[in-house]
Every structure is written in C-alpha cells, then in structure tokens.
Amino acid sequence: IFHKVYFPDDTDEAFEVESSTRAKDFCQGIANRLRLKSSEGFSLFVKIIDKVIAVPTSDFFFDFVRHLTDLIKATIRRNKTALPQLTYQVFYMKKLWSNTVPGKDHNADNIFHYHQELPKYLRGYHKVGKHEASEIAALIY
C-alpha cells in the first residue's frame, strides 16, 4: 500500500507500507529515500481531526492507526455527536533534538530543521542577537 507522508517543508511523498511494517522501519525507509544521514530523533505523527499523535516506534503502523481511529470513534459516540468522516494525515518530523548538529546533515537542515524551528524563531522562543536576527530574516525573505 502506498501511503502519503507530509514533511515540514510543505512537500509530500508516497511510501510503500505493508501490514507488517513497524513505525521504526517506516521511519528508516523515509530517511533512506530522503538521503538523511540518520533517522535518529525523527518520528511519524498522525494528525486526525484536531489531534497530532506520535506513533510509537515499536508499533505496527497500520495497527496504531486503526487503534487510534477506533478510539476516536468510541469517544465521539459517547458524546452522542454525529460521526464525522475520519481522515488522517501522516507527518514525518524531528521529535528529539538532543543530538542534532545544524550543518551536519544538509538534507535534514533543508527539509526539517529550518522549517520546524522557523515559527519558534518568529514567536521569539529562541534568544538571538541583532546580527543573527538579520541573517534569519534574510533567509526567510
């Protein structure tokens, strides 16, 4: 089964996934195709309705998605609201940043690091000097 995966740089690609594919194998396959130096710190996330949930690396991908949709359906039924069409999206993003060194992996910097951190810079979560701020502004522009 080909499954579409979305990335922080607003791109997406289809990846082949089998019923026996674990999340860690799916992550490794994505990292290989994107030519990332390592899949360490990356994870799959499932966005369904207004929730984004990380897929545990040891879980079978489709089992996790099925469990998640069943759980949401049960919650909606308990609240006695109309059952909406449950569609989901799969995202591949950086989850753990502890061993990340900017500049070490050019592909990861371009696809993930810059795009995932940009909103945090714009909101002022990172303390930067005037010179760094002007460099970031030039990159954004």
Side-chain angles (χ1 to χ4, degrees), residues 70-87:
D70 289 349
L71 183 66
I72 289 175
K73 284 178 185 176
T75 302
I76 290 171
R77 283 189 191 115
R78 258 186 269 132
N79 294 336
K80 296 186 170 93
T81 58
L83 190 63
Q85 177 67 28
L86 291 179
T87 58

Side-chain angles (χ1 to χ4, degrees), residues 1-140:
I1 299 171
F2 283 91
H3 206 294
K4 189 181 278 193
V5 178
Y6 297 89
F7 303 107
D9 66 349
D10 291 330
T11 61
D12 59 74
E13 286 190 41
F15 293 85
E16 189 171 1
V17 186
E18 298 176 359
S19 61
S20 61
T21 302
R22 292 191 185 273
K24 66 180 175 185
D25 300 325
F26 197 179
C27 286
Q28 186 61 50
I30 294 169
N32 291 343
R33 176 152 351 138
L34 296 177
R35 294 186 182 101
L36 301 179
K37 293 192 177 180
S38 172
S39 64
E40 181 183 358
F42 288 92
S43 187
L44 291 169
F45 294 85
V46 175
K47 180 180 180 182
I48 187 165
I49 303 180
D50 61 346
K51 297 175 182 3
V52 178
I53 299 146
V55 180
T57 56
S58 60
D59 283 12
F60 290 104
F61 175 72
F62 284 118
D63 287 351
F64 177 81
V65 170
R66 175 63 188 257
H67 175 72
L68 185 61
T69 56
D70 289 349
L71 183 66
I72 289 175
K73 284 178 185 176
T75 302
I76 290 171
R77 283 189 191 115
R78 258 186 269 132
N79 294 336
K80 296 186 170 93
T81 58
L83 190 63
Q85 177 67 28
L86 291 179
T87 58
Y88 66 93
Q89 292 177 305
V90 178
F91 291 87
Y92 183 73
M93 298 186 297
K94 190 76 170 181
K95 182 177 181 180
L96 301 173
W97 295 87
S98 57
N99 293 329
T100 303
V101 178
K104 185 178 178 183
D105 186 346
H106 186 69
N107 287 344
D109 288 342
N110 288 334
I111 300 169
F112 301 98
H113 304 160
Y114 173 77
H115 296 282
Q116 279 189 246
E117 288 302 302
L118 179 60
K120 296 172 189 169
Y121 277 108
L122 294 174
R123 290 184 186 111
Y125 295 162
H126 295 287
K127 187 173 181 169
V128 295
K130 289 180 183 179
H131 179 69
E132 288 173 313
S134 65
E135 287 179 355
I136 292 170
L139 287 171
I140 294 169

